[in-house]
Amino acid sequence: MNSVIIFSLVLIGIAVYFWQRNKKDKKLENSQDDSSRELHLENVRPGGLIHLMNVGPTMEEFDVSILSRGVYRAGQNDEWYELEGEAAKGKVWITLENDDGLDVTLATRKLKLRDLPIVRNDLDEMSENGDGEFEFEGKMYYYEVSSEASYFPDGNISPDNESFFYYWEFETDNSEEFITIEEWENGRFEVTQSHPIKESQVKIFSLGK
């Protein structure tokens, strides 16, 4: 009788052990699946909702609904992302780039090349010399880099979805503001004024799809 009870207890112990182990394995699998959906800015997709705090010269605070997520590539290794969003004040663009940590910039203003005190030939000269500067609205912007790049709308990486452009990037001496000039294949120019923000200034309500 005692041997039967001992045998039964052993069977129960084995069953409990495997049950606990299976439960732990499932929990680990779930945690690994969830890691790719953690509330990080890099995981935000169209349909996501974020809240920006104390951004810009006037320390604004507002919600942003994410409309699209594009991918940029330059050279062999450079890749960065752009979240286009809609806020009550209009469109905003958030650029994300991993460079020894996540660099985040916020653009709320689109300009025209004619708004700047430079022309197309000036840009060519800056690219050739690797140097240059201009003044805009009382601030000096200094040449930082220029390069060819490609853009994939909606993150769809395929040759059929690729557009090419050349860009020039300028920044103030304290790196608090940037102006980026893009010349696309069709000759169209896009000029964006932006500034860096910290991840702590972004609260994520929803990652989107």
Side-chain angles (χ1 to χ4, degrees):
M1 182 69 177
N2 289 337
S3 61
V4 174
I5 294 175
I6 293 173
F7 181 71
S8 298
L9 291 174
V10 169
L11 288 178
I12 293 172
I14 293 173
V16 170
Y17 167 77
F18 281 106
W19 177 75
Q20 290 284 0
R21 182 176 175 180
N22 186 53
K23 184 178 179 182
K24 184 177 180 180
D25 289 343
K26 286 185 177 180
K27 186 176 181 181
L28 179 61
E29 289 175 4
N30 290 335
S31 66
Q32 290 173 341
D33 291 339
D34 291 341
S35 65
S36 62
R37 299 293 292 171
E38 290 179 357
L39 292 178
H40 292 317
L41 193 54
E42 293 172 282
N43 294 333
V44 175
R45 297 292 188 273
L49 179 63
I50 64 176
H51 181 73
L52 300 181
M53 298 169 284
N54 303 321
V55 297
T58 58
M59 306 295 282
E60 295 179 88
E61 187 168 335
F62 51 88
D63 293 335
V64 179
S65 299
I66 304 303
L67 304 175
S68 67
R69 181 180 186 270
V71 177
Y72 289 85
R73 286 182 175 176
Q76 296 294 322
N77 301 312
D78 290 341
E79 184 172 279
W80 64 98
Y81 309 90
E82 181 184 74
L83 298 174
E84 180 180 354
E86 185 76 48
K89 60 183 296 179
K91 290 281 186 68
V92 298
W93 297 264
I94 300 171
T95 301
L96 315 171
E97 183 174 9
N98 270 303
D99 184 15
D100 296 327
L102 184 64
D103 293 330
V104 185
T105 57
L106 171 68
T108 57
R109 187 181 184 190
K110 292 286 188 178
L111 303 168
K112 302 290 185 181
L113 185 60
R114 63 174 176 268
D115 295 329
L116 305 179
I118 55 175
V119 295
R120 180 65 176 79
N121 289 340
D122 296 325
L123 295 174
D124 287 337
E125 187 175 337
M126 291 179 189
S127 293
E128 184 176 346
N129 297 334
D131 190 27
E133 62 189 52
F134 62 85
E135 183 177 357
F136 179 67
E137 296 184 342
K139 296 180 181 179
M140 293 300 301
Y141 289 83
Y142 300 91
Y143 172 91
E144 180 66 20
V145 68
S146 60
S147 178
E148 288 184 314
S150 57
Y151 174 63
F152 301 89
D154 302 317
N156 177 18
I157 309 296
S158 72
D160 295 337
N161 195 44
E162 186 174 19
S163 300
F164 296 92
F165 65 98
Y166 199 93
Y167 72 93
W168 296 259
E169 188 170 292
F170 302 84
E171 62 179 63
T172 55
D173 56 359
N174 56 12
S175 299
E176 289 187 354
E177 286 191 9
F178 307 97
I179 286 181
T180 302
I181 302 172
E182 299 172 352
E183 182 182 16
W184 293 80
E185 292 176 285
N186 59 8
R188 175 175 54 91
F189 281 89
E190 287 188 8
V191 183
T192 305
Q193 187 178 38
S194 59
H195 56 270
I197 61 174
K198 299 176 181 178
E199 285 190 86
S200 59
Q201 294 173 269
V202 183
K203 184 175 182 181
I204 300 172
F205 293 131
S206 170
L207 292 175
K209 56 185 177 181

